[in-house]
Amino acid sequence: MTPIVKAFFDTATNTVSYVVRDPEGRATAIVDSVLDFHHASGRTNTASADEVIAYVKAEDLKVEWILETHVHADHLSAAPYLQEQLGGRIGIGDQITVVQDTFGKIFNEGTEFQRDGSQFDALFSEGDSFHVGQMRGDVLHTPGHTPACMTYVIGDAAFVGDTLFMPDFGTARCDFPGGSSSDLYQSIQRILSLPDETRIFVGHDYKAPGRDEFAWETTVGEQKALNIHIGAGRSLDEFVEMRDARDATLGMPRLILPSLQVNMRAGQMPPADEHGDVMLKVPINKI
Ligand SMILES: [Fe+2]
């Protein structure tokens, strides 16, 4: 089964969102949506999500799933807004509970913040499957970037989130709380054990030195041969040494604090205060 995949690239956060459609019907899944957020003013904007909505409506698609590959740290999810406009169930990996526990503590969320994943409509476990129309989706738990990262394999297309990036850019960072470069190595080996012709759709692109265009689609075969961090049979030890050294040089993503607080709630803002105002926190010297 070869789903029709339409990509939407958000230049503000380098995020790729995907609309994945059953070629024999209207059933659709949306993977990793974006709610625009202007940090300096604290204002949200739905321009990116509205592009997805316009496409879904123009093509008369029926959204069955709104999937998150993980709790993103660099952009806010538009899942609740898309759900309100288009329907569908919001799904994420069941290890979200670990992420909620970690960041519930960091943001002092108190007991009213549930850490059981109940904000989401579906929690997927390793080996689960689901359907988008006639297409089957398989769920792989692919931790490393975060403990809750999932890869969704729908027909011949794998949505790998932040595990592998394009072959010339490499792999995702592993230095967020609960991240692990050795876990990421093992997770990537699982993705690379899919058939060589499997299409891989990555969660971000930043261009790579010498490449002028953004890109987000590759294959398992290309990754195995060419990925600069892990291709050509790179060993676990080599990868871990490279990844950890590189991560030590990286700054925090611009939107990490708002992103985590919103995305661990399935894209909902924190509850309004007694005046009806919604606030996000900035924990000092904690991340
Ligand atoms: Fe991420």
Side-chain angles (χ1 to χ4, degrees):
M1 197 63 113
T2 304
I4 299 166
V5 180
K6 166 83 173 166
F8 292 82
F9 186 75
D10 175 47
T11 48
T13 64
N14 295 79
T15 302
V16 198
S17 304
Y18 297 101
V19 176
V20 188
R21 169 184 181 179
D22 180 348
E24 285 163 19
R26 294 160 46 229
T28 295
I30 299 172
V31 181
D32 287 343
S33 62
V34 174
L35 178 73
D36 305 309
F37 184 73
H38 186 250
H39 201 186
S41 64
R43 298 201 77 89
T44 61
N45 175 323
T46 58
S48 293
D50 288 337
E51 276 183 49
V52 172
I53 290 167
Y55 174 76
V56 166
K57 289 191 171 166
E59 298 284 321
D60 194 25
L61 304 179
K62 181 176 175 296
V63 175
E64 296 185 349
W65 287 103
I66 298 172
L67 302 172
E68 303 285 355
T69 55
H70 62 294
V71 167
H72 309 279
D74 52 13
H75 68 275
L76 279 61
S77 166
Y81 177 69
L82 291 176
Q83 186 176 50
E84 190 186 291
Q85 302 283 321
L86 301 172
R89 300 174 72 203
I90 302 175
I92 200 166
D94 60 359
Q95 297 301 301
I96 178 70
T97 54
V98 175
V99 176
Q100 289 178 326
D101 197 48
T102 302
F103 292 107
K105 286 186 186 123
I106 288 175
F107 290 103
N108 276 348
E109 294 294 357
T111 49
E112 70 275 17
F113 174 59
Q114 301 286 322
R115 294 136 202 241
D116 58 0
S118 55
Q119 300 88 344
F120 296 82
D121 300 314
L123 298 181
F124 295 113
S125 304
E126 161 63 30
D128 277 354
S129 63
F130 60 96
H131 281 86
V132 183
Q134 299 301 309
M135 297 188 299
R136 177 188 159 126
D138 288 294
V139 181
L140 306 181
H141 180 216
T142 48
H145 171 63
T146 79
C149 288
M150 292 303 203
T151 290
Y152 301 109
V153 184
I154 304 175
D156 76 333
F159 298 88
V160 301
D162 298 2
T163 52
L164 291 158
F165 292 133
M166 290 302 284
D168 58 1
F169 194 85
T171 58
R173 66 193 298 174
C174 298
D175 59 332
F176 296 147
S180 157
S181 51
S182 59
D183 285 358
L184 185 66
Y185 183 89
Q186 304 299 352
S187 294
I188 288 172
Q189 299 310 317
R190 296 194 59 208
I191 295 169
L192 297 184
S193 72
L194 294 166
D196 276 1
E197 60 276 17
T198 306
R199 292 181 290 163
I200 287 185
F201 293 91
V202 301
H204 294 287
D205 188 58
Y206 307 92
K207 296 178 183 166
R211 170 156 61 85
D212 294 331
E213 301 291 328
F214 289 112
W216 42 76
E217 179 178 347
T218 171
T219 64
V220 165
E222 278 177 8
Q223 292 281 17
K224 279 202 288 205
L226 301 174
N227 188 287
I228 58 164
H229 290 171
I230 210 156
R234 194 76 62 93
S235 74
L236 170 66
D237 289 348
E238 281 174 292
F239 176 74
V240 165
E241 192 180 332
M242 177 285 304
R243 190 66 261 175
D244 292 352
R246 187 176 158 85
D247 288 348
T249 70
L250 300 176
M252 282 291 132
R254 189 167 48 88
L255 296 181
I256 185 169
L257 297 174
S259 298
L260 293 171
Q261 291 172 81
V262 170
N263 295 340
M264 71 182 184
R265 294 180 162 88
Q268 300 283 354
M269 290 287 163
D273 67 15
E274 65 274 26
H275 307 293
D277 295 319
V278 174
M279 303 279 179
L280 292 167
K281 297 174 181 172
V282 179
I284 302 302
N285 298 331
K286 280 179 106 173
I287 284 193

